[in-house]
Amino acid sequence: SQTIHQWPATLVQPVGSPLSLECTVEGTSNPNLYWYRQAAGRGLQLLFYSVGIGQISSEVPQNLSASRPQDRQFILSSKKLLLSDSGFYLCAWKVGAGSGYGYTFGSGTRLTVV
Amino acid sequence: AQSVTQPDIHITVSEGASLELRCNYSYGATPYLFWYVQSPGQGLQLLLKYFSGDTLVQGIKGFEAEFKRSQSSFNLRKPSVHWSDAAEYFCAVGARNDYKLSFGAGTTVTVRA
């Protein structure tokens, strides 16, 4: 079956510390993958997307970076976290194609930078 | 670039009453439209989507949405809400030439007994 995994579920990190969030999908190959951030009281902001290994597109200039070292693995990173990086991070995977596509979301990571 | 506006930040509705959530989009062509629901601390679940054809779309959990091109709207409705419908609802629009979705700010629905 096709599933998406995201971890950790909750993370509390001090300002200036590094970050690594991981997202993996199962049951598919060469998926389109996306990182979204949801800040308190705001909608979802697309941060990065990837259409293949090593291919990363950044939507918003920021303190974060993304990598796709394997076909079904998508990693969100930061070298030094800022308070403004706090939020709920969601990984998504495009399922389907053409007029039948949609997104399946992971369960999210709640990041609090203190 | 496409964008979505959800005018209502928070709606409170009585259990058994009807619910309508508003969504207005901006896109230069016929869009792909989606409604997602998010329970607290969880990811997003797809309720329904519109690509073409019949402008009234049926989804899961008894929800439906109607695409109105003239109003650039895609409002979500449910005739009778249940306490379990309390959640945050997101409208999203996708372009036809790529697979990036733009989301609205969301509407939080509270259901009172």
Side-chain angles (χ1 to χ4, degrees):
Chain A
S1 63
Q2 297 174 328
T3 57
I4 180 169
H5 302 281
Q6 192 178 339
W7 67 92
T10 305
L11 195 58
V12 180
Q13 292 284 95
V15 169
S17 64
L19 173 73
S20 181
L21 303 181
E22 188 163 344
C23 171
T24 60
V25 296
E26 296 179 0
T28 187
S29 60
N30 198 31
N32 284 15
L33 297 171
Y34 306 83
W35 278 111
Y36 280 86
R37 176 171 60 199
Q38 184 180 15
R42 301 178 64 180
L44 279 74
Q45 180 185 37
L46 178 61
L47 302 175
F48 301 95
Y49 71 95
S50 172
V51 299
I53 296 174
Q55 300 180 61
I56 308 295
S57 296
S58 174
E59 290 293 299
V60 182
Q62 59 213 319
N63 185 45
L64 302 169
S65 63
S67 62
R68 186 156 173 188
Q70 300 180 43
D71 182 42
R72 287 170 286 182
Q73 184 184 35
F74 201 23
I75 297 173
L76 183 68
S77 304
S78 174
K79 292 182 179 179
K80 291 185 178 181
L81 283 169
L82 305 172
L83 287 175
S84 57
D85 292 324
S86 293
F88 192 53
Y89 289 82
L90 288 159
C91 180
W93 152 46
K94 181 186 75 67
V95 293
S99 62
Y101 86 92
Y103 281 16
T104 293
F105 283 86
S107 54
T109 296
R110 173 73 59 193
L111 172 65
T112 303
V113 182
V114 296
Chain B
Q2 67 268 29
S3 65
V4 174
T5 300
Q6 293 181 247
D8 304 304
I9 297 174
H10 191 189
I11 287 180
T12 299
V13 61
S14 298
E15 191 169 15
S18 64
L19 173 69
E20 182 168 14
L21 304 181
R22 296 183 291 166
C23 171
N24 293 99
Y25 69 89
S26 174
Y27 184 60
T30 302
Y32 292 155
L33 294 162
F34 305 79
W35 273 101
Y36 283 86
V37 61
Q38 183 183 33
S39 298
Q42 299 298 312
L44 277 70
Q45 180 184 23
L46 179 67
L47 287 175
L48 49 78
K49 59 186 177 182
Y50 170 80
F51 288 93
S52 64
D54 192 347
T55 56
L56 185 62
V57 180
Q58 301 298 319
I60 63 171
K61 303 185 179 186
F63 285 93
E64 66 177 25
E66 186 172 12
F67 171 59
K68 292 186 177 181
R69 183 189 305 273
S70 61
Q71 300 178 20
S72 297
S73 69
F74 188 56
N75 294 349
L76 182 71
R77 299 192 293 256
K78 185 168 185 177
S80 177
V81 299
H82 185 262
W83 64 266
S84 60
D85 293 322
E88 189 162 18
Y89 292 80
F90 292 93
C91 183
V93 60
R96 289 179 176 254
N97 58 351
D98 66 35
Y99 295 115
K100 293 183 287 183
L101 296 189
S102 296
F103 287 82
T107 298
T108 300
V109 173
T110 298
V111 180
R112 60 187 175 208

